[in-house]
Amino acid sequence: MNFSSKLLEDAVNEFSKLPGVGQKTALRLVLHLLNKEQEEVDQFGNTLIKLKKEIKHCNICHNISDHQICNICSSNKKDKEVICVVEDTRDVMAVENTGQYFGVYHVLGGLISPMDGIGPADLFIDSLVQRVATTPVKEVILALSATMEGDTTLFYLYKRLKDFQIPITTIARGIAFGGELEYADEITLGRSIVTRVPYQGSLIK
């Protein structure tokens, strides 16, 4: 793609680094911003800078938050004794949008993936184990994507948690193999949460 301006080219290259954004889409976004008033562009840029500088992660569940403790962990309406374990913040949002879950969360920050060099030590697994060991917990729901990495992580988590003698469940496989939670429709995901099953009985032979 030939550019009439080096500044334009640099901006397009930065936008095209975003997931799912090719150069044509990046060019359209940049030209859109160029047509906006300076005040609007300043607000757009400052919002992203402020996000990066000031965003926090909850000290309890590791979800993205404006405060040291997120709104979910601090809510009196949530059942603190039921923990739903998810891969990242997008999955928290997906489960919350179902309106079918009333417990709290634990965000792992990824999945175990030896091919990508991601092991248990790279995730927030130890803090989950510590949480179960030191606070009243009556159920842990493993709500991970139905992928090879998800299943590997499920099995590892089960081995780390099984000795605590609490129910360890997993969402029902209404989500297709290879599917990710954030792309599941709310009805299917909600049903998968409600009809969750014991992990040991359904997946370990």
Side-chain angles (χ1 to χ4, degrees):
M1 186 178 291
N2 295 319
F3 295 91
S4 59
S5 162
K6 183 65 165 59
L7 292 173
L8 177 64
E9 181 179 2
D10 290 345
V12 169
N13 287 338
E14 290 302 316
F15 270 87
S16 64
K17 294 176 183 178
L18 297 172
V21 178
Q23 278 214 323
K24 289 184 178 180
T25 299
L27 176 60
R28 187 165 66 250
L29 294 173
V30 171
L31 293 177
H32 173 77
L33 288 175
L34 281 178
N35 288 327
K36 290 293 184 180
E37 296 294 331
Q38 184 65 48
E39 182 179 331
E40 293 181 84
V41 178
D42 288 344
Q43 182 178 352
F44 178 83
N46 290 335
T47 298
L48 294 179
I49 293 171
K50 184 176 181 180
L51 170 70
K52 183 61 178 177
K53 285 185 176 180
E54 298 183 12
I55 200 70
K56 298 176 177 62
H57 288 83
C58 177
N59 288 345
I60 298 174
C61 72
H62 307 292
N63 191 20
I64 288 176
S65 174
D66 291 339
H67 309 286
Q68 297 297 332
I69 306 297
C70 72
N71 292 337
I72 295 176
C73 285
S74 61
S75 173
N76 292 326
K77 297 180 180 179
K78 290 290 188 177
D79 185 348
K80 306 296 196 303
E81 296 186 358
V82 179
I83 300 175
C84 182
V85 181
V86 296
E87 178 182 350
D88 58 30
T89 294
R90 293 171 297 181
D91 296 334
V92 172
M93 296 171 66
V95 175
E96 281 293 283
N97 286 338
T98 68
Q100 300 295 312
Y101 176 68
F102 306 101
V104 292
Y105 297 88
H106 190 91
V107 178
L108 295 176
L111 298 173
I112 296 172
S113 178
M115 292 291 291
D116 297 317
I118 302 174
D122 299 307
L123 308 177
F124 294 115
I125 293 177
D126 286 344
S127 61
L128 171 63
V129 176
Q130 180 70 11
R131 196 173 165 188
V132 173
T134 58
T135 61
V137 176
K138 60 187 179 185
E139 182 183 2
V140 173
I141 305 169
L142 304 178
L144 303 179
S145 300
T147 61
M148 184 176 297
E149 293 80 9
D151 284 344
T152 299
T153 308
L154 281 171
F155 184 63
Y156 181 83
L157 289 174
Y158 175 78
K159 289 196 300 180
R160 292 291 303 274
L161 298 173
K162 63 183 177 66
D163 291 337
F164 287 104
Q165 303 298 313
I166 59 173
I168 300 172
T169 59
T170 185
I171 55 176
R173 292 306 174 100
I175 300 172
F177 183 82
E180 297 185 6
L181 298 193
E182 64 172 310
Y183 299 122
D185 67 89
E186 294 174 5
I187 294 176
T188 299
L189 181 54
R191 188 181 298 119
S192 296
I193 291 287
V194 171
T195 59
R196 58 188 181 272
V197 295
Y199 178 79
Q200 184 179 23
S202 64
L203 298 180
I204 297 181
K205 306 299 182 184

